[in-house]
Each structure stands twice: as C-alpha cells, then as structure tokens.
C-alpha cells in the first residue's frame, strides 16, 4: 500500500505540473499508473473468490440447506471480523477499507442468496433461509455495529415477496392434506372402533382432530415470523381458508354418518339388538363432533385476539375481507 500511495502521489504531482503546460499525463510513458484503481479491483476479486466455493450446491444430501447456510454465514461473519481487527491498520483512512469490504461482502452474499432463491425450494428451506438472513443481520449489527440493511436487505424485497408467496402456497397444500388425513382418520378409525371418544379435563367428549389441526396451524403461523411484515397475518388467512375446507369435509362425513345410522344402524339394532361397532357410539361421536366445532370457534376467536394484541393491530384496522372471513367461518362451524 505504501508503494501504491507513493505512485498515486507522483501521478497527482505530475498531472499538476503538466496541466500548466496543457500536456495530458497520459502522454508520459507508463503514466498514470492507476495502481489504486488496480488495488481496489484486486480486492474486489479476492472477495468474489472467497464466495466461489459457495457456488456449487449439493441439493441431494438431506439437510443440505442448513449446513450450507451455516458455512456461508460463518465465513461472512468471520471474514468481516478479521478485516476489522487486522486489515484496517494496513490501509490509509481515505480508503475506508472496512466499509469497502462490508459493501463487497454484502454484494456477493446477496448474489449467492439470489442463486439460492432461484432454486425450487420447499417451504422449510424458504423459511430457514429467511430466518438465517435475519439472524445474520442481527449478529453483524450486534457484534460489528454494521447495519447490513443500509446496503439493502440480504433478501431483496421483490424476492422476499416471491418467497412469501411460495411459503404460503406450501402452507395451503400442507394444511389441505392434513385436513384429508384428519377427517379420514376420525371417520374411518374412531367411528368404527366402537369405543367412546376421549374426554377433556372437564369431561367433555372430543377427538384429537381440533388439537392436531390447531398445532399445525400455529406452527405455520409462528415460522412465518422469519419473513417479517404481515406474513403471519397472511398465513393465518390461508389457514382460515383451509379450515373452510375442513369444515366442508367434516360436515360431509358427519351427514353421511347420520344417514347411515338412521337407515342401516337402527335397522340392525332392531333386527339383531347389537349394532355394528360403527353405530354403537353414534351419539357420543356426534357430541364429540359438536364439541370439536365449538373448539374451532374458540380457536378462531383466540387467533383474532392474537392479531389485535400481540401484533398490535387494532380491531378497527382489520380489513373488511378479514372480518368477513372470520364471521363466515365461525358461522359455518356453528
């Protein structure tokens, strides 16, 4: 750097002297050397080279994304720590070398993340990526006093929006699949077992359907926190739409169960005195189904309160569409 700065100063002095004679500096052999510009280019390439090893991504190995992001984040953070502790003293202040490295590392990191985003990521990988980006930004801000957002988000807003849409799509698909499994499980296993439904601590009959559903919905809403913004609200809206699907499926099998009972079940009881296991617990099963629907209504109200309280979203700020969906869904479960 001493040689570079020396040659830069020589260029400046020569240019000042020759300008008085209207002679361009470039007319002198080997001048200007522009070594400072060359040094900056070399430094840029050295940073790019550091990221070269993250270009090859093995998507076959299970859990590749977590290991990949861990290595990428560790390299990014440790390199900037090394620059701050060891490189700054080697450069003149006007180079603002730490700021230069932050800019270059952020640029290359964003390009690497963009390549990741263009891959066909599943919901888990998308949320892992968003959570990782947020965590890395927080670590750099806390330990290095550098706000990466000043250089632009690690995941650009337009790409984050696409990731959010993809994550919501996966949530919808997963909850819809769960609906099918839950309704099938209850109607084909529980009702055919001939055993009474389980009871809650107060002795109310119910099944595991609402509990399993609420657990998955809450998990999906919570993980969307990594994306930020109103993503959790959007996830909740998607899950509420899926609950409409559940109610439709549930209502259909309940109605068919009732039809079967009042035709085949009662006839069998009259003829043989002992109904099939499927009809033996018809009334307790119907009570459990009614209680399940009441639990769904309570859960909807709890989620609405969550928006108002935890997300600090006043009730009068909820969109008319959101309120309409809430009222419609509550009515359907009634």
């Amino acid at each position: 750097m001493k040689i570079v700065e020396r040659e830069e100063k020589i260029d400046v002095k020569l240019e000042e002297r020759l300008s008085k004679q209207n002679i361009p500096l470039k007319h002198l052999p080997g001048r200007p050397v522009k070594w400072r510009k060359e040094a900056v280019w070399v430094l840029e390439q050295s940073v790019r080279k550091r990221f070269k090893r993250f270009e090859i991504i093995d998507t076959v190995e299970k859990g590749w994304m977590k290991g990949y992001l861990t290595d990428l984040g560790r390299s990014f953070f440790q390199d900037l720590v090394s620059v701050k502790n060891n490189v700054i003293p080697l450069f003149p202040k006007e180079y603002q070398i730490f700021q230069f490295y932050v800019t270059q590392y952020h640029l290359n990191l964003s390009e690497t993340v963009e390549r990741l985003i263009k891959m066909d990521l599943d919901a888990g990988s998308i949320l892992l990526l968003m959570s990782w980006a947020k965590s890395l930004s927080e670590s750099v801000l806390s330990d290095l006093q550098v706000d990466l957002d000043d250089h632009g988000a690690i995941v650009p807003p337009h790409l984050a929006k696409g990731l959010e849409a993809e994550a919501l799509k996966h949530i919808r698909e997963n909850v819809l699949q769960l609906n099918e499994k839950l309704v099938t499980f209850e109607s084909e296993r529980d009702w055919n077992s001939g055993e009474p439904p389980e009871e809650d601590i107060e002795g109310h009959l119910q099944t595991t359907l609402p509990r399993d559903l609420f657990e998955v919905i809450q998990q999906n809403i919570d993980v969307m926190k990594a994306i930020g913004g109103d993503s959790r609200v959007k996830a909740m809206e998607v899950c509420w739409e899926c609950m409409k699907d559940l109610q439709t499926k549930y209502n259909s099998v309940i109605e068919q169960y009732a039809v079967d009972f009042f035709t085949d079940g009662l006839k069998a009881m009259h003829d043989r005195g002992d109904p099939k296991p499927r009809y033996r617990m018809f009334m307790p099963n119907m009570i459990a189904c009614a209680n399940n629907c009441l639990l769904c209504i309570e859960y909807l109200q709890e989620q609405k309160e969550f928006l108002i309280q935890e997300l600090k979203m006043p009730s009068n700020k909820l969109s008319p569409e959101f309120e309409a969906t809430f009222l419609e869904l509550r009515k359907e479960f009634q």
Side-chain angles (χ1 to χ4, degrees):
M1 287 310 304
K2 290 182 178 180
I3 296 174
V4 169
E5 287 304 294
R6 183 195 67 193
E7 294 299 317
E8 285 289 316
K9 290 178 181 178
I10 292 175
D11 278 344
V12 171
K13 291 181 179 180
L14 286 174
E15 188 170 24
E16 290 176 352
R17 186 183 306 169
L18 293 175
S19 64
K20 297 177 181 178
Q21 305 175 36
N22 294 323
I23 301 175
L25 180 59
K26 63 181 180 180
H27 286 182
L28 290 183
R31 292 292 174 179
V33 293
K34 296 184 178 180
W35 280 2
R36 181 170 181 172
K37 182 179 180 181
E38 181 73 14
V40 170
W41 181 85
V42 169
L43 294 175
E44 289 175 351
Q45 296 308 305
S46 70
V47 175
R48 187 164 293 276
K49 187 177 180 180
R50 289 287 294 167
F51 281 84
K52 280 284 185 181
R53 62 194 179 100
F54 293 105
E55 288 185 357
I56 302 176
I57 303 171
D58 183 6
T59 61
V60 178
E61 183 179 346
K62 186 178 180 180
W64 68 272
M65 174 70 91
K66 183 176 181 180
Y68 177 86
L69 292 177
T70 299
D71 290 343
L72 178 60
R74 183 188 299 115
S75 177
F76 180 90
F77 183 79
Q78 290 180 349
D79 282 3
L80 287 184
V81 170
S82 179
V83 169
K84 187 172 185 179
N85 294 336
N86 304 316
V87 178
I88 290 179
L90 304 178
F91 285 78
K93 291 183 178 179
E94 58 267 25
Y95 274 70
Q96 296 186 330
I97 196 61
F98 183 62
Q99 189 63 32
F100 166 83
Y101 268 102
V102 170
T103 300
Q104 292 303 312
Y105 268 76
H106 183 279
L107 173 64
N108 284 273
L109 181 66
S110 297
E111 291 176 354
T112 302
V113 169
E114 188 168 351
R115 286 197 299 271
L116 275 176
I117 293 174
K118 290 180 179 179
M119 301 172 63
D120 186 18
L121 302 178
D122 58 27
S125 296
I126 290 172
L127 296 172
L128 179 62
L129 174 61
M130 298 300 293
S131 177
W132 167 84
K134 182 178 181 180
S135 177
L136 180 61
S137 294
E138 291 173 351
S139 296
V140 172
L141 179 61
S142 173
D143 297 340
L144 298 178
Q145 291 74 55
V146 173
D147 190 349
L148 294 179
D149 288 343
D150 289 343
H151 301 267
I154 295 176
V155 181
H158 69 285
L159 295 178
K161 187 175 182 180
L163 286 177
E164 178 187 77
E166 191 65 23
L168 292 174
K169 175 185 173 183
H170 283 292
I171 288 175
R172 179 179 286 104
E173 293 173 351
N174 291 338
V175 177
L176 289 177
Q177 290 175 6
L178 176 67
N179 288 348
E180 187 70 34
K181 292 179 181 178
L182 291 176
V183 172
T184 301
F185 184 82
E186 180 166 325
S187 62
E188 295 184 2
R189 195 206 71 161
D190 290 352
W191 295 349
N192 289 329
S193 69
E195 299 295 327
E198 66 178 41
E199 299 180 359
D200 65 13
I201 58 175
E202 296 179 347
H204 300 141
L205 297 175
Q206 62 182 27
T207 71
T208 60
L209 183 148
R211 183 171 65 245
D212 294 340
L213 176 67
F214 302 159
E215 182 178 343
V216 171
I217 287 177
Q218 196 59 49
Q219 287 174 353
N220 281 301
I221 292 173
D222 290 343
V223 296
M224 289 297 285
K225 186 177 182 180
I227 295 180
D230 61 350
S231 60
R232 282 190 291 177
V233 178
K234 293 178 181 177
M236 188 179 297
E237 291 174 336
V238 167
C239 291
W240 282 14
E241 291 173 8
C242 294
M243 287 183 72
K244 288 183 182 180
D245 171 78
L246 173 75
Q247 195 279 336
T248 300
K249 287 183 170 63
Y250 205 32
N251 186 62
S252 177
V253 296
I254 291 173
E255 288 183 352
Q256 188 60 51
Y257 187 25
V259 170
D260 292 345
F261 173 77
F262 286 110
T263 54
D264 300 337
L266 290 179
K267 184 176 183 301
M269 291 174 66
H270 181 270
D271 294 343
R272 298 189 301 272
D274 183 24
K276 296 178 181 179
R278 177 171 176 80
Y279 306 121
R280 194 173 299 150
M281 290 293 165
F282 174 75
M283 288 307 297
N285 285 335
M286 288 297 95
I287 294 173
C289 289
N291 287 336
N292 287 346
C293 290
L294 290 175
L295 287 173
C296 288
I297 294 174
E298 292 177 4
Y299 180 74
L300 289 170
Q301 187 62 44
E302 289 173 0
Q303 289 303 301
K304 184 179 178 181
E305 293 298 322
F306 166 79
L307 286 180
I308 295 173
Q309 296 177 11
E310 185 167 339
L311 299 185
K312 296 181 175 58
M313 183 181 292
S315 57
N316 60 357
K317 292 294 184 180
L318 295 175
S319 68
E321 295 80 7
F322 190 91
E323 187 67 27
T325 299
F326 169 76
L327 294 175
E328 179 186 355
L329 192 51
R330 187 177 66 179
K331 182 179 180 181
E332 288 178 356
F333 277 107
Q334 289 174 337

